[in-house]
Each structure stands twice: as C-alpha cells, then as structure tokens.
Amino acid sequence: MRCTSSNAADAEGKLKLDWTQWVWPGPRRVFTPEEMARAGQQPWPKSIDYYVYSNVLVLLAINYNDVARGLIHWAALLALGMSSLALWVAKQLWRQPTRNRLNLYTVGSVALLTAVFLLLKFKPLSFVPALERSEQKALVLIVAAVGVLALISWFFLVLIRAQQIASRLRELEEQERHLKLARRLATAQIQPHFLFNTLASVQHWVDTQDPRAGSTLRSFTAYLRATLPMFERESLSLTEELQIVRSYLEVMQARLGTRLQWQIDVGAGVDESLQLPPGLLLTLVENAIGHGIEPALRGGSITVTIAQPTEGQVLIEVRDDGAGLSSAAVDGLGLQNSRERLQQLYGERARLSLKPLTPGCSASLEIHTVESKP
C-alpha cells in the first residue's frame, strides 16, 4: 500500500502544472555573467534579419494594390519599424535569455503599441489620410497579428537560446570531466611494477652497499616529485617533460645496466616552453622500453629527438632499436589516452604516429603551434 501511495503521489507531482508560466512565462534558469561569458558567445545570426526584412517586403509587394489612397508608404514605414523593433528586442533577449527580460519587453511593447494607437485615434496626424472604419479595423488586426507573432517568436527564441546555452555548459562540463578522467588514467599509467621493482632494486643496493643506490634513489625521487602532482595540470612545458623523462631513463639505466643506452637531443631554436599533455613524452619512452628494450635479450638504445624544422612546427621522435612492433600490434590504453589528450590541447594541429623500424620502432609527434588560416 505504501508503494501504491508513493507512486500515486509521484504521478500527481508529474501532472502538476506550473501556473507561473501562464502569468510570467519563460525559462526559470538565470545564467550568471561567468556562464554567459563561457558559453554564450555565439553571435546573433544575421540571416534572421535578412529573412524578416525580405518577408516584410514581399508581403508589402503582394498587398500593394489593396492598400487604399496611397498609404503604401505609411504601411511600409509601419511594417519596417515594427520589424526593426521586434528584431532589436530579439537581439537583447539573445544576449540575456531570461524570463524577466522577456516579460518586461513584452509588457513594454504592448504598452507602446497601445499608446501609439490611442494617440492616433484621438489626435490623428494631419498629413496622414483619414481611414474609414473598416480600414482602421483591418489595420488594427494586421498590427495585432504582427505583434502576437513577434511575442510568440520572442518566447520560443528565449526558450531555444536558454536550452542552447545550458547544452553548451553541459558539453563543457563533460569535456572537463573527460579531461580529469584522462589525467587520472594518465596517473594510473605510472606502472606499479616500475615503482616496486625500483624500490626493491634500491633496497638491495643499499643492503649490498652498491654505489648505484645513491644516484638511483636521487633520480627516482626526482621522478616521483615531478610525476605525482603533474596530472593535476592541463599541460606541461617541454622542459618539464624532458626532466621527467631524464629521471625515468636514469632509473631504468641503473636497473638494466648495459642493456639500455639513451640519448636526448634538443635541436637549436626549439621552443622548450612548448606545452604538452602531462606525461605524453613519458608514455612514449615507457612504451619504447616496455615493448622494445626489455623484451630484447640484447637490450638496445633509445633516442629522443626534438627539432623545429620550420617556424611554428615542432617534431618530437622517440626511436628505439629493440624488439619492434608485432604484426598484430594495436594502440594500448596509454597511446589512446595520449591521442585524446593531444587532440584536446591542439585539435587537428597535432599528430601522433608509430612506424616500425628494422630493428625497433619510432613514435613521431608533429605539432603546429600556430593555427593555419583558411
């Protein structure tokens, strides 16, 4: 019985009408200036102006012969004036789509039209020909119809515009959540076995008084200090990324010994303030070691090359001569995540590609820092 009563109450709540929409219609949500600045910057569509004015001119042309005693000029002036007023109000509502503005403009427009009609009725203009009663009635009906059409258009404009801004805000929030998730996934890419194996190696070297313990612990500490907080940021400079990669490679070389050789070559003129998604370069180096160097019994070498062949273009390559790509190789979570974060930062101006070598593999990153003009 309780369940039935609850369902009945829910149904009653869903059927309840919002009476305020009958006396003060419009969207309830009021966007803050920050929300409007963030999502409401879409310009007013100029095509609406062209559409309204062209239709007014067409209607005037169609009814040209039906307008008596040379009133076509006054009819055209009235029609264009009302259209201009309606479009001006629509543009104000486009900038601030609130129910208060909608209703205030509606009340103001009705009051203005009423005042004009009363003025002309009791104090007709001497230079305007007098209208017969039937013509006055027809003119009033036409103006009233145009006014009602404008009010309905304003109402739907405000609703659609408010929904557009709300949808854009939801889209931006979803993008932010996706970006935060990508950063958390990137944080999870700090391989647990790398951490535990490095700690185990350092502990063993400390116990055996191996001289590698001190330098490896310093590199490992620098690596952790840089990587753990970095994913809270949207981007890192190339200099910061290279520092992380150097610390990682120093640790891995201590663990792998002569099986790993590495080199980082930054070309002349490269802008090291270039922004990259956090951990992107580290992911490429980790993949080179995990899929290239470690599986190869002989080990291998890794070369990180950064060059700027032309102004506004940066090429980054991570090359290894290890085991290479298998024929069935596909992008893993790390590479998929890297591509998505790279697209969020640079869009179509960045490209990440893999190329098999003999032996080894090459991961190339091409970034255009200046957006090309159409």
Side-chain angles (χ1 to χ4, degrees), residues 176-351:
E176 288 184 356
R177 285 195 295 269
H178 184 74
L179 185 59
K180 290 179 180 178
L181 177 60
R183 287 201 290 264
R184 286 196 295 269
L185 289 173
T187 305
Q189 287 176 221
I190 301 177
Q191 305 169 10
H193 73 269
F194 165 71
L195 301 179
F196 293 126
N197 289 345
T198 301
L199 288 174
S201 298
V202 171
Q203 181 180 3
H204 173 70
W205 293 334
V206 169
D207 292 339
T208 59
Q209 298 184 351
D210 192 304
R212 291 177 293 178
S215 60
T216 304
L217 184 58
R218 283 190 292 272
S219 298
F220 186 56
T221 302
Y223 171 83
L224 291 178
R225 185 180 292 114
T227 55
L228 292 181
M230 75 177 180
F231 296 106
E232 295 300 323
R233 297 168 54 182
E234 294 185 1
S235 63
L236 292 180
S237 68
L238 178 60
T239 299
E240 293 171 308
E241 281 281 321
L242 289 176
Q243 290 174 351
I244 296 171
V245 169
R246 285 191 182 95
S247 299
Y248 174 77
L249 288 172
E250 288 170 355
V251 172
M252 292 304 300
Q253 186 172 41
R255 287 179 47 200
L256 297 178
T258 58
R259 293 184 61 227
L260 172 63
Q261 302 295 324
W262 61 272
Q263 179 182 356
I264 296 178
D265 182 15
V266 181
V270 171
D271 181 11
E272 295 194 28
S273 64
L274 172 72
Q275 298 298 301
L276 294 174
L280 174 64
L281 189 54
L282 175 63
T283 299
L284 300 181
V285 174
E286 285 178 341
N287 286 343
I289 289 182
H291 300 287
I293 305 302
E294 288 185 329
L297 295 177
R298 59 177 176 81
S301 62
I302 292 179
T303 302
V304 180
T305 305
I306 299 100
Q308 187 169 335
T310 61
E311 184 69 25
Q313 180 188 27
V314 177
L315 299 179
I316 301 175
E317 182 186 28
V318 178
R319 176 190 293 257
D320 71 84
D321 57 2
L325 292 174
S326 65
S327 57
V330 296
D331 286 359
L333 176 62
L335 283 177
Q336 290 178 0
N337 185 30
S338 297
R339 293 185 194 276
E340 291 179 5
R341 293 187 295 130
L342 191 63
Q343 185 176 21
Q344 289 174 349
L345 187 60
Y346 285 105
E348 299 298 325
R349 293 183 289 125
R351 181 178 59 185

Side-chain angles (χ1 to χ4, degrees), residues 47-205:
S47 57
I48 295 180
D49 295 351
Y50 304 144
Y51 178 81
V52 170
Y53 287 126
S54 62
N55 277 273
V56 169
L57 295 176
V58 169
L59 289 175
L60 288 172
I62 293 175
N63 295 279
Y64 181 82
N65 294 325
D66 297 332
V67 180
R69 288 188 292 273
L71 292 178
I72 186 64
H73 302 92
W74 297 107
L77 183 62
L78 179 62
L80 293 174
M82 291 186 63
S83 301
S84 299
L85 175 62
L87 286 173
W88 181 85
V89 172
K91 292 174 183 178
Q92 303 308 309
L93 295 174
W94 177 272
R95 297 188 184 96
Q96 293 288 338
T98 64
R99 66 190 305 183
N100 286 339
R101 291 173 69 93
L102 169 64
N103 289 280
L104 289 175
Y105 278 124
T106 299
V107 172
S109 300
V110 172
L112 177 62
L113 289 176
T114 302
V116 171
F117 272 113
L118 291 176
L119 180 64
L120 293 178
K121 181 176 181 180
F122 293 103
K123 291 185 177 181
L125 299 177
S126 58
F127 51 85
V128 178
L131 299 177
E132 296 180 0
R133 187 175 185 84
S134 59
E135 293 174 336
Q136 292 178 359
K137 185 177 180 180
L139 180 60
V140 170
L141 290 176
I142 292 174
V143 174
V146 174
V148 171
L149 180 61
L151 297 182
I152 295 175
S153 301
W154 293 345
F155 176 74
F156 283 104
L157 173 70
V158 170
L159 290 183
I160 294 173
R161 178 63 172 153
Q163 291 177 358
Q164 180 189 42
I165 296 174
S167 176
R168 177 58 178 164
L169 289 173
R170 287 193 300 270
E171 180 183 352
L172 292 174
E173 291 172 359
E174 183 64 26
Q175 290 178 358
E176 288 184 356
R177 285 195 295 269
H178 184 74
L179 185 59
K180 290 179 180 178
L181 177 60
R183 287 201 290 264
R184 286 196 295 269
L185 289 173
T187 305
Q189 287 176 221
I190 301 177
Q191 305 169 10
H193 73 269
F194 165 71
L195 301 179
F196 293 126
N197 289 345
T198 301
L199 288 174
S201 298
V202 171
Q203 181 180 3
H204 173 70
W205 293 334

